[in-house]
Amino acid sequence: MKILVTGGTGYIGSHTVVELQQAGYEVIIADNLINSEASVVDAIGRITGIIPVFEEVDLADPGQADSVFQKHTDIKAVIHFAALKAVGDSVERPLEYYRNNIFSLINLLSSMSRHGVKHIVFSSSCTVYGQPDTLPVKESTARKDAESPYGNTKKIAEDILEDEVRAGSLRCIALRYFNPIGAHPTAMIGELPLGVPDNLVPYITQTAIGKRERLMIFGNDYETKDGTPVRDYIHVVDLAQAHVVALKRMLEDKQISPWEIFNLGTGNGFSVLEVINSFEKVSDMKLNYAFTDRRQGDIEKVWADTEYANQELGWKAERDLDEMMRSAWDWELALNDRNKKN
Ligand code: NAD
Ligand code: UDP
């Protein structure tokens, strides 16, 4: 069965392609490589023994998006990862984020409708909850005003999808990710941040490897266990596996309603200092870090209520924080080796 994975050379997409292939699906990747490398296609092939079909297209262009469906006439479902995702960058270039993320979705849905493709899994984010009034966050928790243009593209995309499902025969599962970290256990694929990382874990591993001098912790005066912000970190392989489960649910017609939302997290909140402690333990290194002011727009604490996903999807995140940090470190070491050879 052929599945189109947009953004499939990216961080979460590539791990999902591996899981899909290992579950027996045939994968076509559509990506314009704006935030990923073509070499990921071969790396996936080395892990699974199957090189996925790769189409280099910009989905924000309607003609390019449609060309994928014209060429591959038997696509059964789409998993839509392709998007720009840097929060700070989106504040500086809002139009580019709306153009890229919203046009891509509209073009994809138009082509799916034209070519009779009825199933889509969508990458949403816990960012739609903002700072929730109660924790843990349930799927029924009200969404808040977005903190950034990036966050707003996720909110708008959910609304577009829900309306489109209501209007016709489309079926959708929106997955709201908490904080995906870590890498594949083979250390052949992982996160490839462009330039200086915004996110905590690549910043930690790049500091430890010597690419960055020091990690700055954004605030230690929050109302949390140790004053640093708390997040629900989830291993990217657990997250990838949830996509296979969601896809199967849709294809086997097991949805309760044609528009469904699931939180993907572990249900555990860890502070920045706890993440650093875990890294220091698994790497047997001391990390150079210091405290600085809060980062504007940061949420104090958020973690998922995972009960609905656990029960209804029949999926549960299995990997703990140490495993997440160990795999992230192994990936940084592998990247370092690769750079030395080149
Ligand atoms: P990523 O940047 O590694 O992957 C996204 C991929 O989409 C990249 O390969 C990029 O080249 C591609 N892409 C972007 N615009 C495109 C376009 N117009 N046409 C074709 N390809 C395009 O990001 P990721 O971390 O793997 O995130 C995947 C999805 O999950 C995104 O939608 C992101 O917003 C969402 N998400 C990510 C996180 C996270 O922390 N990583 C959290 C919540 C939600
Ligand atoms: N963080 C930090 N220093 C950094 C990057 C991140 O202290 O260089 C903190 C950030 O304030 C947040 C946590 O690490 O509390 C996770 O940040 P990330 O950007 O990875 O995820 P998000 O804030 O989007 O949940």
Side-chain angles (χ1 to χ4, degrees), residues 33-283:
L33 304 178
I34 196 164
N35 198 36
S36 54
E37 293 176 1
S39 63
V40 171
V41 177
D42 292 329
I44 293 171
R46 283 200 298 281
I47 296 172
T48 63
I50 308 159
I51 296 179
V53 174
F54 175 58
E55 302 293 350
E56 189 175 337
V57 287
D58 180 356
L59 295 163
D61 177 290
Q64 292 188 44
D66 206 64
S67 70
V68 179
F69 293 87
Q70 286 168 22
K71 191 164 164 191
H72 304 279
T73 50
D74 44 359
I75 290 168
K76 193 74 194 154
V78 176
I79 306 186
H80 183 40
F81 292 103
L84 294 174
K85 63 162 184 178
V87 175
D89 188 32
S90 81
V91 175
E92 279 161 31
R93 302 188 302 141
L95 268 190
E96 190 48 29
Y97 275 67
Y98 287 114
R99 192 194 69 80
N100 191 72
N101 296 2
I102 303 302
F103 283 12
S104 292
L105 176 67
I106 292 174
N107 292 337
L108 199 58
L109 291 177
S110 306
S111 287
M112 286 173 67
S113 164
R114 202 171 300 127
H115 296 271
V117 182
K118 295 198 165 71
H119 303 94
I120 184 166
V121 176
F122 175 67
S123 295
S124 191
S125 168
C126 71
T127 181
V128 299
Y129 297 118
Q131 176 59 68
D133 300 327
T134 52
L135 288 166
V137 196
K138 290 183 189 302
E139 288 80 353
S140 56
T141 301
R143 298 180 308 172
K144 292 236 165 122
D145 285 347
E147 301 270 349
S148 69
Y150 164 71
N152 212 19
T153 68
K154 290 294 166 196
K155 231 176 135 185
I156 294 169
E158 284 191 356
D159 291 343
I160 292 173
L161 283 160
E162 188 176 3
D163 286 344
E164 185 62 11
V165 166
R166 210 175 279 147
S169 53
L170 185 73
R171 299 183 156 263
C172 179
I173 296 183
L175 299 174
R176 290 180 178 158
Y177 312 155
F178 281 66
N179 285 56
I181 60 168
H184 198 265
T186 58
M188 289 181 186
I189 53 172
E191 194 168 2
L192 279 172
L194 266 189
V196 182
D198 283 327
N199 296 113
L200 178 64
V201 173
Y203 210 106
I204 289 177
T205 56
Q206 288 197 5
T207 303
I209 207 86
K211 267 198 218 166
R212 313 274 155 220
E213 197 188 330
R214 182 156 67 162
L215 170 79
M216 300 307 293
I217 300 180
F218 301 135
N220 61 348
D221 57 353
Y222 285 98
E223 279 187 35
T224 57
K225 43 191 141 185
D226 56 26
T228 63
V230 169
R231 297 286 184 275
D232 185 340
Y233 296 94
I234 175 168
H235 197 301
V236 66
V237 172
D238 277 324
L239 195 73
Q241 288 171 348
H243 289 75
V244 180
V245 174
L247 182 75
K248 215 163 162 255
R249 174 182 177 86
M250 274 200 311
L251 294 174
E252 290 176 357
D253 218 5
K254 293 199 172 133
Q255 285 180 276
I256 292 172
S257 99
W259 163 246
E260 290 186 318
I261 297 167
F262 293 100
N263 282 344
L264 297 184
T266 65
N268 303 313
F270 287 104
S271 70
V272 174
L273 286 173
E274 285 174 322
V275 173
I276 293 172
N277 283 342
S278 166
F279 174 77
E280 290 185 334
K281 185 169 83 181
V282 300
S283 65

Side-chain angles (χ1 to χ4, degrees), residues 280-340:
E280 290 185 334
K281 185 169 83 181
V282 300
S283 65
D284 203 17
M285 289 176 74
K286 277 271 156 233
L287 189 76
N288 185 13
Y289 67 84
F291 295 104
T292 183
D293 296 340
R294 291 179 175 199
R295 180 168 69 178
Q296 212 198 335
D298 259 359
I299 302 298
E300 181 170 80
K301 52 189 166 205
V302 65
W303 59 92
D305 186 324
T306 59
E307 203 180 312
Y308 186 60
N310 294 165
Q311 303 238 320
E312 198 43 53
L313 273 184
W315 161 91
K316 197 175 185 341
E318 285 166 0
R319 295 158 180 85
D320 66 12
L321 184 62
D322 287 350
E323 194 170 345
M324 299 181 213
M325 297 311 291
R326 193 174 299 114
S327 66
W329 182 228
D330 286 346
W331 167 241
E332 192 68 62
L333 291 169
L335 273 180
N336 195 45
D337 280 350
R338 200 204 291 180
N339 291 342
K340 270 195 223 142

